[in-house]
């Protein structure tokens, strides 16, 4: 509840947050007033509001060798940006695509942080396993171009939409499917060629380039990559 108080002829605007205020409301308040000095990123606000094991597992996975190797140590941005990147993977892997209903990425990631804070040890262990598998398979299939748009010359930055989609779907493969990819060079090349062909699809290319938080585009890119992997495996 904003109110103003005059102190020594200086007018201050204060936002009073009452006990019991929902965390998503707090997040929106912080985000709205986060303009002075050095603004905080959405992930920095998230870490302040959703303290607990969610932040711990994000720190762990960002610092993990599979993540560093898959992103070639150049995932882009600072540590908090990388944490948000990994959180997008965890959110879709943990909550499922059907939970993304609002075309609101911030809200989805906030819900994921809250849910991860309440998750059991077996659930967190499963997410760790899926993440490691996803990073290793992405590296196996795409090499130095994992999670990047294909270009002829200089390598591009990590694409967040590619990371969450390919990461979640590769991490969700069965042990048998993952083992086939790990051992079969021809299968890796087949999946890679399928991705290059998919990039020629204007709808898919748009789904990882503009308005990527749209519910329609999120579902489109997940469905197309899922179909690609199903056809190859």
């Amino acid at each position: 509840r904003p109110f103003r108080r005059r102190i020594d002829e200086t007018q201050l605007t204060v936002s009073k947050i009452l006990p019991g205020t929902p965390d998503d409301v707090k997040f929106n308040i912080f985000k709205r007033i986060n303009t002075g000095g050095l603004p905080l990123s959405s992930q920095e606000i998230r870490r302040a509001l959703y303290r607990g094991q969610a932040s711990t597992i994000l720190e762990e996975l960002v610092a993990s060798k599979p993540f560093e190797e898959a992103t070639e140590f150049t995932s882009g941005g600072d540590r908090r940006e990388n944490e948000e990147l990994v959180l997008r993977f965890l959110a879709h892997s943990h909550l499922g695509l059907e939970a993304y209903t609002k075309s609101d990425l911030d809200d989805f990631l906030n819900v994921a942080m809250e849910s991860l804070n309440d998750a059991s040890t077996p659930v967190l262990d499963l997410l760790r396993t899926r993440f490691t598998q996803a990073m290793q398979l992405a590296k196996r299939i795409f090499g130095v171009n994992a999670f990047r748009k294909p270009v002829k010359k200089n390598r591009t930055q990590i694409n967040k939409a590619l990371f969450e989609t390919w990461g979640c779907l590769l991490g969700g493969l069965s042990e048998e499917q993952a083992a086939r990819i790990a051992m079969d060079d021809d299968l890796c090349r087949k999946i890679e060629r399928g991705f290059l062909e998919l990039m020629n699809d204007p709808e898919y290319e748009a789904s990882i380039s503009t308005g990527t938080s749209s519910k329609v585009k999120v579902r489109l890119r997940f469905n197309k990559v899922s179909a690609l992997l199903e056809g190859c495996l």
Side-chain angles (χ1 to χ4, degrees):
R1 295 189 310 183
F3 65 90
R4 291 181 173 83
R5 178 176 297 172
R6 188 172 296 277
I7 301 177
D8 296 333
E9 302 303 321
T10 300
Q11 184 170 292
L12 300 178
T13 300
V14 179
S15 294
K16 183 177 181 180
I17 301 177
L18 299 176
T21 301
D23 286 336
D24 59 334
V25 175
K26 294 178 186 176
F27 180 88
N28 287 327
I29 291 173
F30 277 112
K31 191 171 182 181
R32 188 170 65 247
I33 66 176
N34 181 35
T35 56
L38 183 63
L40 299 175
S41 68
S42 293
Q43 186 59 26
E44 287 171 325
I45 298 173
R46 234 174 252 119
R47 284 177 60 85
L49 292 177
Y50 301 95
R51 298 180 180 179
Q53 63 183 4
S55 294
T56 301
I57 192 173
L58 285 176
E59 290 178 354
E60 172 192 331
L61 295 181
V62 165
S64 68
K65 186 175 181 180
F67 178 74
E68 291 180 340
E69 291 182 341
T71 58
E72 289 286 310
F73 301 95
T74 57
S75 52
D78 60 21
R79 193 172 190 83
R80 297 300 172 241
E81 288 185 24
N82 287 337
E83 286 184 7
E84 182 169 299
L85 188 66
V86 172
L87 178 58
R88 288 172 72 147
F89 164 90
L90 293 176
H92 282 288
S93 296
H94 181 49
L95 300 177
L97 182 60
E98 64 279 1
Y100 195 82
T101 60
K102 299 181 180 179
S103 295
D104 186 336
L105 180 61
D106 275 335
D107 180 75
F108 186 61
L109 297 184
N110 292 345
V111 171
M113 288 287 286
E114 186 172 14
S115 183
L116 288 168
N117 275 336
D118 295 331
S120 65
T121 297
V123 168
L124 295 179
D125 287 343
L126 176 60
L127 290 172
R128 288 186 179 95
T129 299
R130 288 179 175 177
F131 183 80
T132 298
Q133 174 175 294
M135 297 303 104
Q136 292 173 339
L137 292 183
K139 179 69 174 179
R140 177 78 173 93
I141 297 167
F142 301 108
V144 298
N145 293 312
F147 310 122
R148 292 174 165 86
K149 290 184 179 181
V151 293
K152 293 182 179 179
K153 295 184 178 181
N154 295 331
R155 195 171 50 162
T156 59
Q157 292 289 327
I158 293 291
N159 179 284
K160 294 178 180 180
L162 288 177
F163 187 92
E164 72 179 18
T165 308
W166 280 93
C168 183
L169 293 174
L170 289 174
L173 295 178
S174 68
E175 290 185 11
E176 179 183 358
Q177 291 172 322
R180 285 185 58 200
I181 293 174
M183 299 174 62
D184 192 335
D185 289 342
D186 290 337
L187 178 57
C188 290
R189 301 292 75 77
K190 183 178 180 180
I191 296 173
E192 185 179 29
R193 287 194 301 271
F195 170 61
L196 294 176
E197 292 174 4
L198 198 53
M199 286 298 298
N200 292 323
D201 179 340
E203 283 190 331
Y204 177 76
E205 201 281 333
S207 77
I208 64 170
S209 301
T210 59
T212 57
S213 62
S214 160
K215 178 179 70 175
V216 172
K217 291 187 175 181
V218 171
R219 292 180 183 276
L220 184 145
R221 62 177 177 259
F222 266 87
N223 289 336
K224 285 186 177 289
V225 172
S226 179
L228 186 162
L229 288 172
E230 184 178 347
C232 291
L233 295 168

